[in-house]
């Protein structure tokens, strides 16, 4: 051990405790060397250079001092001129004075008055001191800026002028006779100009501000003109001492008149030196001033392109928002401006546009309109540069809107640019609210910090999915998020256009319940009770609320939700309550004054509402339609006609809406009325072969940030090979849609690639609140093969398949089962979103969809377009006078300043066309209504807040017309199933009258109707009258002539043989002409039919089912948002409903309610109980 210890080396001194206390003795003997850096800056010359040149602040002070000296010398020169009088004698210092007179008739003159001046002793002393200071400063600056070339320093113009104006004064110190020598000190004005330019540059550097080139150029131009005038004035005044002896003011007058090219001629130079000076000054002005003006004009044009600055003073006294875009198009600009300034409280806001590209011609033309020129400021710059953000005063902005460029070929790259802009703005102005538009859902989590985010593909696919089960959802949402006053179409002779335009003015508003006249009287009542009575009394539709202590918005929380004064109510109305005037009817006033609890329902036999509500626990009320019974197979149990105690003459009554929910009656209905009807009563044809689905959350999400939604799922994930529709595998041998034997119609989605946003198309169609019996198979028709990641996300959903193909290929459409489909969704392709010519990006999509309309007339096709203005080409009819009238109506509405001029186009009104740019207003409205994005996502099913309802639809059949009006339907739904209707999708029969009289039977370009001549003659008059009025309404079936009956082609052929025999000769000739036209049209239809059938036979597909798609009714459809309560219901109306969340009551109810519900479930089907309680 001793040997080992002896071999251990001692610790270094810095690690020994003794040396730490006593100090390191050996450190003094260390050979380390201390090195000093930047020793060159410690020299005297470097310190002077740092003070006079390098340091911005000290250099600015030196230049300011130099500028003051030059101005002082010019001022001393003017003082010397004013004190000098040549008539008292001229001569050198100490010499006898002589008088000289000018002889105008002689060309000779005396040089003495030019060489000698009279200079007072005090004035000379001051000028000498100033000259010495200027000389020393010039030599010091020359020494410090010397870089090896002395001649470059000597021959500088500024150095030569300094020597001319300073050296003669220094010489006069040593040679007194020269003290009266003339020295052109007025030339110091050019040195002052040079010092002023340098001073401005140092000033901008010292305060760390971006230098304004325009300000500098204007300053230089002004100083140059001033120096020219001052130099000419002083030079001519001095030279004319030997001539006309002009005063300083007269010389100044002469220079101004000369340089302005006026030339009165009253003052002229008398001797040739002054005349030569005038010529030189004019030549210099003609050369220098145009160059300065050219530079100024160039900078002005550049400033017009790039924009100026939003001043700090304006930013502190005015309110402004910033719009950041990659490229600014006229459509995007007008949508933003029209929607932003549609709100009254935003009229005083300014919009600062920050765009890296140059303003195009159309945008420049619009921004020159006085309406926008005083509100909009265009700045060319990048959001990634702090200088440009400072120009836009981002830190003082009320909000910053960052929009993505959706016309880019690479949308992912466009999102990356948006993300960087959002990061840059957040770094520069952390307190500025951010409103970000993102394209791809997988990029959304990068901008989660923004106050409001709208993901384009999420909203687009969810909206297109709801279009398949709730028709025209895209039109409904678009109208809700657009600002309108409901005045569109009010001057139209068409009834549907006036009603449609009036209802389009409905928007979503909010108000605190305690401050509301609409809802204040319903405090302590149930949500359903308040919704019905507010609609009945005021015509407003209460759709949701938000608790004061809860951040989530709940749509239709159900009848168990009791309203409190602190709740925030969200309602649909033409305008917000603050802008409404309340005019009570006379009977309403009498009821309020005399009997406040009387007459809630019209008619003298009605009981007072308070009496009805008070006796709800003791009296037997008419609640037979609110009982929980097994649903009928017809599907219309909620609107079943009540039996009124066996009396058929009395008008059917509807149960009143209860102030407080009866838990024993409503809970089972809320939970099981729709969601589990398919599980409790399985159909006979399905038997035991039905694949059991489970309800749960999808295990794999394709991107980060997707909202979890409870869905119908497969018990076991489907293999990837089984997802391929057109190819069999070892698990099944099906190769076409017919072989699968689907019970419901298909939903086909045509897209270019299987992006992550397509996942949001599937989730709303597989949500847990959709009935399993109503689930439609989904077929994804993709141009490119989906990747493994996407297939992993969709393999858990039932009846979801994909197939490689294109929408412009007939074989692909037939293989994916288009003849068995009810809806086809054509998604805009990313590769065609940009085109060389504007608005041509949709050309291929429009033509392909038009072809499908001709091949499959009865197929419901929803098309996404890049430009909303192209929707006028959908279902294009070249010879349809009605379409031409709609085109004129659109132009008239656009001239009237409508933001929804395209709303009367039939494809948009029917929900057949959609453009994602219509949803840009959703982001703009969020600046005023910060809840709009949340409500829209809840309606689309993108977010599922516990306790919040969902959007669904219900069709009105002929058996439901006993309800008669929308107000009674509102009461029926609120009292039976606690559903809130928000609108109607109405379809009416309509005859599209052709513009040519002989083309009467060409009702559409893609369908042929074969009618007999008798029907044609009977209905012809009715058609003619209805075509002028616009549409045929089905409110009074008995008073209107029904549309012509549709016959098969075989019966039409038989009629063609019988008709001439039954009619007269004139009628036979007329009938033959009509038949000839019909045969021409039929041949076109048959040609298309034979084409499709031949392709189906070639592919080995059965042709049965295609003939059913050949007929298309002539109808028009439109959306009525929150119609008045007295609106009559019509057959085939589809009512938009917000249905309450059934699982919310299971989660929030007591244990006794759960056990009671479970007992009732067990009596129906024990398997359903476990799934519902999930």
């Amino acid at each position: 051990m001793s040997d080992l210890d002896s071999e251990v080396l001692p610790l270094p001194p810095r690690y020994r405790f003794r040396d730490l206390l006593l100090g390191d003795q050996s450190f003094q003997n260390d050979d380390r060397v201390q090195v000093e850096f930047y020793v060159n800056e410690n020299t005297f010359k470097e310190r002077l250079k740092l003070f006079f040149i390098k340091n911005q602040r000290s250099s600015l002070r030196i230049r300011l001092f130099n500028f003051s000296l030059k101005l002082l010398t010019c001022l001393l020169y003017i003082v010397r001129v004013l004190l000098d009088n040549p008539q008292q004698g001229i001569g050198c210092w100490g010499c006898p004075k002589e008088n000289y007179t000018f002889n105008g008739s002689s060309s000779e003159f005396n040089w003495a008055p030019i060489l000698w001046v009279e200079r007072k002793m005090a004035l000379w002393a001051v000028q000498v001191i100033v000259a010495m200071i200027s000389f020393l400063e010039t030599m010091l600056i020359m020494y410090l800026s010397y870089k090896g070339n002395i001649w470059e320093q000597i021959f500088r113009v500024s150095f030569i002028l300094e020597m001319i104006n300073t050296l003669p004064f220094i010489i006069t110190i040593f040679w007194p006779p020269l003290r009266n020598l003339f020295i052109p000190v007025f030339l110091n004005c050019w040195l002052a100009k040079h010092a002023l330019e340098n001073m401005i540059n140092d000033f901008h550097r010292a305060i760390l501000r971006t230098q304004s080139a325009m300000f500098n150029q204007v300053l230089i131009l002004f100083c140059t003109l001033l120096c020219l005038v001052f130099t000419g004035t002083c030079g001519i005044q001095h030279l004319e001492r030997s001539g006309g002896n002009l005063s300083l003011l007269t010389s100044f007058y002469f220079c101004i008149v000369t340089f302005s090219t006026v030339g009165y001629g009253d003052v002229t130079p008398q001797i040739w030196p002054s005349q030569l000076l005038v010529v030189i000054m004019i030549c210099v002005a003609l050369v220098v001033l145009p160059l300065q003006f050219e530079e100024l004009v160039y900078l002005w044009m550049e400033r017009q392109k790039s924009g100026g600055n939003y001043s700090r003073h304006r930013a502190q006294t005015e309110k402004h928002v910033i719009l950041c875009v990659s490229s600014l198009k006229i459509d995007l600009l007008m949508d933003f401006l029209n929607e932003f300034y549609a709100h009254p409280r935003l009229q005083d806001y300014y919009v600062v546009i920050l765009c890296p590209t140059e303003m195009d011609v159309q945008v420049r033309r619009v921004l020159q309109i006085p309406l926008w020129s005083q509100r909009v400021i265009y700045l060319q710059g990048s959001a990634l540069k702090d200088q440009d953000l400072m120009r836009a005063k981002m830190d003082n902005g009320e909000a910053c809107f960052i929009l993505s460029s959706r016309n880019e070929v690479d949308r992912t790259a466009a999102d990356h640019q948006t993300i960087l802009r959002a990061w840059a703005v957040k770094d520069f102005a952390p307190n500025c609210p951010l409103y970000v538009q993102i394209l791809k859902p997988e990029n959304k989590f990068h901008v989660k910090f923004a106050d409001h985010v709208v993901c384009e593909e999420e909203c687009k696919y969810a909206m297109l999915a709801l279009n398949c089960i709730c028709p025209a959802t895209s039109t409904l949402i678009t109208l809700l998020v657009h600002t309108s006053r409901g005045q569109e179409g009010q001057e139209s002779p068409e009834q549907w256009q006036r009603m449609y335009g009036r209802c389009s003015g409905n928007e979503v508003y909010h108000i605190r319940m305690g401050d509301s006249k609409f809802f204040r009287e319903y405090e302590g009542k149930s949500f359903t009770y308040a919704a019905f009575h507010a609609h009945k009394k005021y015509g407003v539709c209460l759709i949701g609320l938000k608790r004061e202590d809860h951040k989530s918005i709940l749509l239709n929380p159900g009848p168990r939700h009791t309203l409190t004064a602190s709740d925030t109510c969200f309602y649909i109305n033409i305008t917000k309550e603050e802008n409404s005037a309340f005019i009570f009817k006379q009977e309403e006033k009498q009821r309020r004054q005399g009997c406040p609890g009387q007459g809630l329902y019209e008619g003298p036999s009605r009981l007072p509402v308070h009496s009805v509500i008070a006796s709800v626990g003791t009296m037997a009320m008419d609640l037979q339609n609110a009982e929980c019974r097994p649903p009928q197979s017809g599907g219309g149990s909620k609107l079943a006609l009540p039996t009124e105690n066996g009396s058929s003459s009395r008008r059917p009554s509807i149960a009143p809406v209860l102030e407080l929910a009866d838990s024993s009656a409503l809970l089972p209905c809320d939970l099981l009325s729709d969601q589990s009807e398919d599980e409790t009563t399985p159909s006979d044809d399905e038997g035991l072969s039905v694949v059991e689905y489970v309800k749960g959350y999808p295990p794999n999400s394709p991107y980060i940030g997707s909202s979890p939604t409870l869905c119908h799922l497969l018990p076991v994930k489907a293999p990837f090979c089984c997802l391929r529709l057109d190819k069999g595998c070892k698990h099944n041998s099906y190769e076409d849609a017919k072989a699968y034997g689907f019970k419901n119609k298909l939903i086909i989605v045509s897209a270019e690639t299987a992006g992550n946003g397509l996942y949001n198309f599937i989730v709303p169609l597989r949500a847990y609140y959709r009935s399993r019996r109503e689930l439609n198979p989904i077929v994804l028709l993709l141009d490119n093969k989906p990747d493994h990641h996407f297939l992993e996300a969709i393999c858990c959903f039932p009846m979801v398949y994909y197939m490689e193909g294109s929408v412009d290929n007939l074989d692909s459409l037939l293989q994916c089962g288009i003849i068995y489909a009810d809806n086809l969704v054509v998604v805009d392709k990313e590769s065609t979103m940009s085109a060389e010519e504007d608005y041509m990006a949709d050309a291929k999509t429009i033509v392909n969809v038009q072809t499908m309309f001709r091949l499959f007339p009865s197929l419901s096709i929803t098309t996404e377009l890049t430009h909303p203005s192209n929707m006028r080409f959908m279902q294009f009819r070249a010879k349809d006078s009605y379409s031409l009238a709609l085109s004129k109506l659109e132009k008239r509405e656009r001239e009237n300043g409508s933001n929804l001029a395209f709303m009367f186009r039939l494809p948009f009104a029917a929900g057949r066309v959609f453009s994602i740019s219509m949803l840009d207003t959703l982001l703009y409205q969020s600046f005023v209504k910060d809840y709009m994005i949340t409500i829209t996502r809840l309606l689309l099913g993108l977010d599922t807040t516990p306790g919040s309802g969902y959007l669904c639809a219900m069709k009105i059949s002929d058996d439901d017309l006993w309800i008669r009006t929308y107000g009674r339907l509102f009461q029926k739904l609120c009292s039976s199933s606690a559903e809130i209707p928000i609108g109607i999708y109405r379809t009416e029969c309509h005859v599209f009258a052709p513009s040519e009289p002989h083309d009467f039977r060409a009702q559409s370009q893609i369908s042929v109707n074969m009618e007999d001549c008798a029907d044609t003659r009977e209905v012809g008059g009715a058609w003619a009258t209805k075509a002028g009025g616009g549409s045929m309404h089905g409110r009074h079936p008995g008073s209107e002539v029904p549309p012509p009956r549709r016959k098969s082609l075989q019966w039409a052929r038989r009629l063609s043989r019988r008709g001439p025999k039954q009619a007269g000769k004139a009628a036979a000739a007329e009938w033959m002409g009509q038949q000839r036209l019909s045969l021409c049209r039929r041949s076109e239809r048959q040609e298309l039919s034979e084409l499709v059938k031949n392709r189906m036979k070639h592919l080995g597909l059965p042709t049965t089912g295609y003939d059913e798609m050949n007929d298309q009714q002539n109808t028009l459809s439109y959306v009525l948002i929150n119609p008045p309560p007295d609106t009559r219901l019509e057959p085939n109306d589809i009512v938009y409903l917000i249905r309450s969340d059934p699982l919310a009551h299971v989660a929030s109810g007591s244990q006794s309610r759960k056990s009671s519900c479970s007992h009732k479930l067990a009596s129906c089907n024990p398997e359903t109980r476990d799934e519902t309680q999930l």
Side-chain angles (χ1 to χ4, degrees), residues 284-326:
V284 171
L286 292 177
V287 174
V288 175
L289 292 181
L291 294 178
Q292 298 291 336
F293 276 110
E294 180 184 4
E295 186 70 18
L296 182 62
V297 171
Y298 174 77
L299 290 176
W300 177 259
M301 295 176 62
E302 290 296 321
R303 182 177 181 179
Q304 291 297 316
K305 295 179 181 179
S306 62
N309 294 335
Y310 190 71
S311 65
R312 178 70 59 179
H313 175 71
R314 293 185 61 183
Q316 293 176 353
T317 58
E318 302 168 348
K319 295 181 179 180
H320 74 287
V321 297
I322 299 94
L323 176 64
C324 295
V325 290
S326 298

Side-chain angles (χ1 to χ4, degrees), residues 319-348:
K319 295 181 179 180
H320 74 287
V321 297
I322 299 94
L323 176 64
C324 295
V325 290
S326 298
S327 59
L328 188 62
K329 300 297 183 181
I330 185 63
D331 294 337
L332 175 66
L333 176 63
M334 295 312 300
D335 287 342
F336 178 83
L337 295 179
N338 289 329
E339 186 62 35
F340 184 80
Y341 285 111
H343 300 276
R345 75 180 185 90
L346 300 183
Q347 299 302 314
D348 296 333

Side-chain angles (χ1 to χ4, degrees), residues 661-799:
D662 186 0
S663 60
S664 61
L666 284 178
L667 176 60
C669 278
D670 284 348
L671 187 58
L672 300 178
S673 60
D674 239 19
Q675 287 75 21
S676 303
E677 62 180 40
D678 47 348
E679 289 92 353
T680 56
T681 57
S683 58
D684 298 335
D685 55 348
E686 291 181 0
L688 299 176
S689 62
V690 178
V691 178
E692 293 295 335
Y693 301 148
V694 297
K695 293 179 182 178
Y697 294 97
N700 298 314
S701 176
Y703 61 92
I704 301 175
S706 62
S707 178
T709 304
L710 193 64
C711 299
H712 292 283
L713 302 177
L714 293 172
V716 181
K717 290 184 179 180
F720 290 172
C721 58
C722 296
L723 299 180
R724 186 72 183 259
L725 180 71
D726 57 336
K727 289 186 179 180
C729 62
K730 62 181 180 180
H731 304 94
N732 63 69
S733 59
Y734 304 145
E735 294 185 355
D736 58 82
K738 178 67 175 177
Y740 283 85
F742 296 124
K743 301 298 181 183
N744 296 330
K745 292 286 189 178
L746 275 67
I747 295 177
I748 302 176
V749 187
S750 173
E752 186 175 16
T753 57
N756 294 328
L758 197 56
Y759 175 81
N760 294 286
F761 186 91
I762 302 173
V763 170
L765 298 179
R766 293 295 179 263
Y768 75 98
Y769 43 75
R770 307 293 178 195
S771 174
R772 193 187 69 179
R773 184 180 299 171
E774 298 174 357
L775 297 183
N776 299 89
I778 302 174
V779 179
L780 309 179
L781 184 60
L782 306 174
D783 292 0
N784 303 315
K785 185 177 180 179
D787 55 6
H788 178 85
H789 182 63
F790 180 77
L791 295 178
E792 184 68 25
I794 68 171
C795 66
C796 60
F797 294 103
M799 293 188 296

Side-chain angles (χ1 to χ4, degrees), residues 328-335 337-338 353 359-376 378:
L328 188 62
K329 300 297 183 181
I330 185 63
D331 294 337
L332 175 66
L333 176 63
M334 295 312 300
D335 287 342
L337 295 179
N338 289 329
I353 301 174
M359 192 172 13
D360 62 8
V361 178
Q362 291 182 340
V363 174
R364 187 186 303 277
R365 187 181 301 117
V366 168
L367 294 185
Q368 290 176 351
I369 299 175
L371 177 62
W372 307 122
S373 61
Q374 305 299 325
R375 295 177 172 182
V376 183
Y378 187 92

Side-chain angles (χ1 to χ4, degrees), residues 114-149:
I114 300 177
L115 294 177
W116 303 103
V117 295
E118 181 66 24
R119 187 177 286 117
K120 304 297 180 180
M121 185 65 185
L123 182 62
W124 172 81
V126 174
Q127 287 185 320
V128 168
I129 295 173
V130 173
M132 291 183 64
I133 295 175
S134 299
F135 178 79
L136 294 176
E137 181 191 4
T138 302
M139 300 307 295
L140 180 60
I141 296 297
M142 180 180 178
Y143 166 71
L144 295 178
S145 59
Y146 172 70
K147 297 181 180 179
N149 190 352

Side-chain angles (χ1 to χ4, degrees), residues 477-713:
I477 300 297
T478 302
L479 295 178
L480 277 179
V481 301
H482 271 78
T483 301
S484 172
R485 301 176 64 91
Q487 298 177 354
E488 287 82 2
Q490 297 307 302
E491 299 179 358
S492 173
E494 299 280 346
Q495 172 65 25
W496 76 269
Q497 292 176 2
R498 294 194 299 270
M499 191 172 184
Y500 170 56
R502 177 64 177 173
C503 293
S504 67
N506 284 278
E507 299 178 44
V508 180
Y509 299 99
H510 76 290
I511 193 171
R512 187 176 179 272
M513 183 181 174
D515 304 332
S516 172
K517 295 182 180 179
F518 286 156
F519 313 110
R520 183 171 50 198
E521 58 186 295
Y522 308 118
E523 182 179 356
K525 307 296 192 302
S526 67
F527 178 86
T528 310
Y529 179 88
F532 164 66
H533 286 279
H535 184 268
K536 177 181 175 63
K537 187 174 183 180
Y538 300 104
V540 300
C541 181
L542 180 64
I543 62 172
L545 54 81
K546 182 175 66 173
R547 288 290 194 188
E548 185 179 15
D549 55 349
H550 202 275
K551 295 183 179 179
S552 300
I553 297 176
L554 303 180
L555 297 182
N556 187 12
R560 293 166 187 80
H561 190 99
T562 304
L563 298 179
T564 60
S566 60
D567 289 346
T568 301
C569 298
F570 300 94
Y571 61 95
I572 298 177
N573 196 21
I574 294 291
T575 183
K576 59 182 180 179
E577 180 182 326
E578 293 82 352
N579 298 337
S580 304
F582 297 89
I583 304 175
F584 294 97
K585 297 181 180 179
Q586 187 67 26
E587 58 270 15
E588 184 79 9
K589 295 181 180 179
Q590 295 176 359
R591 183 181 64 84
R592 285 177 171 268
Q593 296 174 1
C595 185
Q598 189 78 19
L600 177 64
Y601 303 100
E602 64 274 9
S605 62
R606 298 298 179 186
L607 292 176
V609 61
H610 295 290
S611 301
V612 173
I613 299 302
S615 58
V616 66
T618 57
M619 66 176 293
M621 298 181 62
D622 186 14
L623 293 177
Q624 68 274 11
N625 55 343
E627 296 176 357
C628 181
R629 297 178 309 203
Q632 304 296 328
S633 58
S637 60
K638 279 188 290 188
L639 302 181
L641 182 66
T643 60
E644 294 298 332
N645 299 326
S647 174
S648 60
S649 61
R650 181 186 169 194
R651 186 181 65 182
S653 62
I654 302 176
V657 183
L658 304 182
E659 291 187 6
L660 297 176
D662 186 0
S663 60
S664 61
L666 284 178
L667 176 60
C669 278
D670 284 348
L671 187 58
L672 300 178
S673 60
D674 239 19
Q675 287 75 21
S676 303
E677 62 180 40
D678 47 348
E679 289 92 353
T680 56
T681 57
S683 58
D684 298 335
D685 55 348
E686 291 181 0
L688 299 176
S689 62
V690 178
V691 178
E692 293 295 335
Y693 301 148
V694 297
K695 293 179 182 178
Y697 294 97
N700 298 314
S701 176
Y703 61 92
I704 301 175
S706 62
S707 178
T709 304
L710 193 64
C711 299
H712 292 283
L713 302 177

